[in-house]
Amino acid sequence: MINHRSPEFAALLTRTLEGVKRALYTQNDVLFFAASGTGGLEATLVNLLAPGDYVLGVTIGAFGNRFLEIAERFGVQVQRLEYAWGDPADPTDIDRALAANPALKAVLVTHNETSTGVANDLQAIAAVVKRHNRLLAVDAISSAGALPIEVDAWGIDVLVCGSQKAWMTPPGLAWVVVSARAWEAVKANPAPRFYWDFAETKKYQDRGQTPATPAVSNFYALDTALSLMEKEGMERIFARHRRMGALTRRAIKDMGLELLATSPRHYSDTVTAVKIPASHDFKQVSARLQSEFGVVVAGGQGPLAGKILRIGHLGYVTLHDVKHCLNAIGAVLGRPLPFTLR
Ligand SMILES: Cc1ncc(COP(=O)(O)O)c(C=O)c1O
């Protein structure tokens, strides 16, 4: 490791900050924390909100629930807008809820719900929240860097990212993107925080440091990942994810399998959730995928345990990898596909 209070680290921090900003189309402040994505969610809530504040909590699955649960643990009053797992959020419901309750200070929402393979229409949601002049905090942990997000143009107040997904970096680094409007709320918020304090983090970052020891090795990895991303170009990265998502869904349908996601316009291009046929057992399927093909899939969370398998197709992944994974699933489920791998 290098000295994290050295000019070398300051240069690394500046480079990664600028790279992340370019990928997210933002001039807003980016604040890094040594944490997993959940740390970024908690950081957002303790800086933006105080016990007793009212928020609209939109949830379409397990990670949406987590965001709201953290808020509730900190004493925030969450008015829940819940959807069935597999469905997207409807911006008109958000519109109605905000119109009906002026006390709602902010909206909490997950962009891409990793537990169900559904991507909310973040741009439409952001437009509604802006129209009502409320704050918008977004969990973009499984979308940022893979799906288009224009933080400034869409008016997102806090966007939470985690290193281990589209950013192709080991777990352990979270960051939040904070708008000028969010800063006003943060500065006026008397609720206590220490490790997660946005203002303290910004104060140090402005001189090329972090308040506590940063995850130095993750910054090296992120720096390398950002140069790969820069080389590929964001538009091409988005297109690659669209192709991987479309190919996965087409193959799943060709195999006669069913997606969990109900709305084609909201299919996630970073993760696909597939219903497991009644004839098969998830544990056996996943064990065979791993031992015979070296393919690791995820299972369902909460009520979906044993009912779905999830294919991640984001970050350091190619169409070739996706085809290999789909061939393996076809073979294990006895529904072979005609993909040839070159
Ligand atoms: C949408 C979303 N939110 C939150 C998390 C939690 O992130 P972490 O496990 O890095 O704390 C994840 C992790 O998969 C996620 O996909």
Side-chain angles (χ1 to χ4, degrees):
M1 295 301 108
I2 54 169
N3 174 7
H4 58 276
R5 311 237 178 256
S6 66
E8 290 84 355
F9 182 78
L12 183 58
L13 179 63
T14 305
R15 266 201 316 281
T16 46
L17 277 174
E18 292 308 316
V20 164
K21 285 184 187 181
R22 277 193 296 275
L24 295 170
Y25 302 87
T26 187
Q27 302 292 323
N28 288 346
D29 285 316
V30 170
L31 306 173
F32 283 113
F33 294 94
S36 82
T38 306
L41 298 178
E42 182 160 324
T44 299
L45 295 167
V46 298
N47 280 277
L48 209 56
L49 300 165
D53 279 348
Y54 286 87
V55 299
L56 182 66
V58 183
T59 175
I60 63 169
F63 291 107
N65 286 352
R66 178 181 299 188
F67 203 8
L68 307 191
E69 191 184 332
I70 302 170
E72 282 165 349
R73 295 255 187 116
F74 281 94
V76 172
Q77 303 291 317
V78 180
Q79 179 178 318
R80 281 177 178 250
L81 184 52
E82 279 188 66
Y83 295 86
W85 290 28
D87 288 348
D90 183 346
T92 59
D93 293 338
I94 298 173
D95 193 16
R96 236 177 280 132
L98 293 178
N101 188 353
L104 296 168
K105 178 177 171 183
V107 175
L108 311 179
V109 70
T110 314
H111 180 198
N112 184 81
E113 181 49 75
T114 323
S115 67
T116 61
V118 174
N120 279 319
D121 185 345
L122 184 57
Q123 187 174 6
I125 292 172
V128 166
V129 177
K130 255 187 114 162
R131 194 157 5 99
H132 287 279
N133 203 25
R134 315 295 168 87
L135 292 163
L136 176 62
V138 180
D139 172 348
I141 289 166
S142 65
S143 56
L147 308 184
I149 302 176
E150 295 184 34
V151 170
D152 295 3
W154 297 359
I156 295 163
D157 293 301
V158 184
L159 188 89
V160 182
C161 303
S163 54
Q164 77 271 27
K165 295 237 166 42
W167 307 93
M168 306 180 287
T169 294
L173 194 56
W175 57 93
V176 293
V177 187
V178 186
S179 76
R181 231 160 53 106
W183 272 119
E184 284 172 31
V186 170
K187 284 179 184 152
N189 181 6
R193 59 263 184 187
F194 186 89
Y195 185 72
W196 303 123
D197 191 70
F198 281 5
E200 192 71 2
T201 302
K202 176 161 168 55
K203 191 173 89 189
Y204 273 79
Q205 282 191 189
D206 283 349
R207 46 178 207 250
Q209 297 184 18
T210 54
T213 307
V216 176
S217 49
N218 287 54
F219 278 93
Y220 278 120
L222 181 60
D223 194 28
T224 301
L226 288 168
S227 13
L228 291 175
M229 291 170 77
E230 204 104 342
K231 212 158 117 196
E232 187 175 358
M234 291 315 294
E235 290 304 321
R236 283 208 293 269
I237 290 174
F238 301 148
R240 174 166 56 85
H241 284 87
R242 275 196 296 274
R243 280 200 298 275
M244 294 192 298
L247 177 82
T248 304
R249 295 187 294 268
R250 202 191 71 216
I252 291 303
K253 287 177 184 167
D254 285 352
M255 283 189 251
L257 299 172
E258 218 185 315
L259 299 171
L260 179 74
T262 53
S263 162
R265 220 165 56 75
H266 299 87
Y267 286 154
S268 166
D269 286 329
T270 61
V271 57
T272 299
V274 182
K275 292 186 188 170
I276 302 199
S279 49
H280 286 81
D281 172 74
F282 170 73
K283 281 196 183 131
Q284 282 169 5
V285 169
S286 84
R288 279 194 59 199
L289 284 170
Q290 182 150 11
S291 63
E292 293 173 32
F293 298 93
V295 165
V296 178
V297 293
Q301 288 154 288
L304 292 175
K307 299 201 170 114
I308 57 166
L309 65 79
R310 291 177 301 139
I311 306 164
H313 33 82
L314 82 167
Y316 201 68
V317 180
T318 62
L319 278 171
H320 184 279
D321 299 323
V322 174
K323 285 181 187 172
H324 173 63
C325 168
L326 292 164
N327 276 338
I329 292 173
V332 168
L333 295 180
R335 302 166 191 231
L337 284 166
F339 286 137
T340 48
L341 297 179
R342 265 174 284 126

